[in-house]
């Protein structure tokens, strides 16, 4: 369970002599134990923000507070431990290793610390939970896109991270497969009581209990519950929205 507060966050990339201000003062809060969606056009800074939240990159300025403590004040070792133990990251293109089985792909981040029989069993159990009990020994090339993303979900959730970050996890999947993947992700994250932040284009994945943060040109322009978003959309002149009322 983790609460995140983002204050005046800036990220500037340098391309040759050109500076590109990708995040231009993000202010946002992500309450614990909840599903948050970050929605915005391509190039608006969604992935950049997600990397900063997972401490995979450093902001140019501004603060990210994790449970009231500024990330920038943490020692390097503490930040490494946070990345390793507390954050589960899921990518759009699965990022699986082609030469490893599904089971080993789930275990690979944990190999440097040494694998226990217990952890191998937990990984197998988790793969069973996402419907891949008969695919433990399959390599990614023998798995469908939806199956590969379920392996990536198991990999991200094995250590029961407090924070789950997903960058367009259904972006490569057809809509039915995307819904299945989201159902597994939601079930496991709710069970583990994780704070979940998902970048998506597909608003049909949201339920009324979720939060929506809209990003545009490196700024959060709107943060509200999906229920409120749906109510606004339902009023005359409100924008279209496809928030479902059931999980
Ligand atoms: P989104 O995920 O919303 O599509 P990104 O955060 O990936 O947006 O990128 C926002 C902008 O920042 C894009 O214009 C992209 O080209 C640029 N950008 C992202 N990463 C880098 C980088 N490492 N170096 C230079 N520019 C980058
Ligand atoms: Mg992106």
């Amino acid at each position: 369970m983790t609460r995140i507060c983002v204050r005046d966050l800036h990220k500037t990339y340098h391309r040759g002599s050109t500076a590109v201000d990708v995040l231009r003062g993000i202010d946002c809060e992500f309450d614990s134990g909840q599903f948050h969606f970050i929605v915005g056009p391509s190039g608006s800074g969604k992935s950049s923000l997600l990397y900063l939240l997972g401490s995979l990159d450093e902001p140019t300025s501004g603060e990210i507070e994790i449970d009231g403590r500024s990330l920038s004040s943490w020692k390097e070792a503490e930040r490494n431990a946070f990345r390793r133990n507390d954050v589960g990251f899921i990518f759009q293109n699965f990022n699986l290793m082609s030469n490893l089985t599904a089971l080993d792909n789930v275990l690979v981040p944990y190999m440097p610390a040494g694998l226990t029989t217990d952890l191998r069993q937990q990984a197998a159990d988790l793969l069973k939970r996402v419907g891949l009990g008969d695919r433990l020994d399959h390599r990614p090339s023998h798995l469908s896109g939806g199956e590969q993303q379920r392996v990536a979900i198991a990999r991200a959730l094995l250590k029961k991270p407090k924070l789950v970050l997903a960058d367009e996890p259904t972006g490569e999947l057809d809509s039915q497969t995307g819904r299945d993947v989201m159902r597994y992700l939601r079930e496991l994250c709710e069970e583990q009581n994780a704070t979940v932040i998902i970048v998506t284009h597909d608003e049909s994945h949201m339920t009324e209990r979720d939060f929506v943060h809209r990003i545009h040109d490196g700024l959060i322009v709107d943060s509200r519950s999906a229920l409120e978003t749906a109510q606004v959309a339902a009023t005359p002149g409100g924008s279209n929205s496809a928030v479902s009322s059931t999980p």
Side-chain angles (χ1 to χ4, degrees), residues 69-87:
R69 296 179 58 230
S70 268
L71 252 185
S72 63
S73 69
W74 298 16
K75 294 205 168 63
E76 190 55 33
E78 198 178 2
R79 242 181 299 176
N80 286 338
F82 172 68
R83 272 191 294 265
R84 204 171 41 239
N85 303 324
D86 298 336
V87 180

Side-chain angles (χ1 to χ4, degrees), residues 52-149:
L52 295 181
L53 293 173
S55 188
L56 301 178
D57 196 4
E58 304 250 331
T60 306
S61 65
E63 283 297 344
I64 296 172
E65 278 179 14
I66 312 277
D67 292 328
R69 296 179 58 230
S70 268
L71 252 185
S72 63
S73 69
W74 298 16
K75 294 205 168 63
E76 190 55 33
E78 198 178 2
R79 242 181 299 176
N80 286 338
F82 172 68
R83 272 191 294 265
R84 204 171 41 239
N85 303 324
D86 298 336
V87 180
F89 216 104
I90 299 162
F91 301 90
Q92 175 170 357
N93 56 1
F94 326 134
N95 274 23
L96 299 181
M97 299 185 80
S98 59
N99 57 330
L100 296 183
T101 63
L103 183 62
D104 282 343
N105 262 292
V106 173
L107 288 165
V108 81
Y110 313 100
M111 285 177 181
L115 296 181
T116 58
T117 322
D118 204 29
L119 198 62
R120 292 191 79 88
Q121 188 57 53
Q122 286 172 31
D125 289 345
L126 207 46
L127 282 170
K128 282 180 202 142
R129 282 292 311 278
V130 297
L132 296 176
D134 56 350
R135 301 273 195 284
L136 303 186
D137 295 327
H138 285 49
R139 292 184 204 283
S141 58
H142 293 134
L143 297 172
S144 70
E147 289 170 340
Q148 290 185 56
Q149 193 58 305

Side-chain angles (χ1 to χ4, degrees), residues 43 46-48 92 167-168 199:
K46 304 182 296 295
S47 296
S48 303
Q92 175 170 357
D167 195 354
E168 310 210 28
V199 167

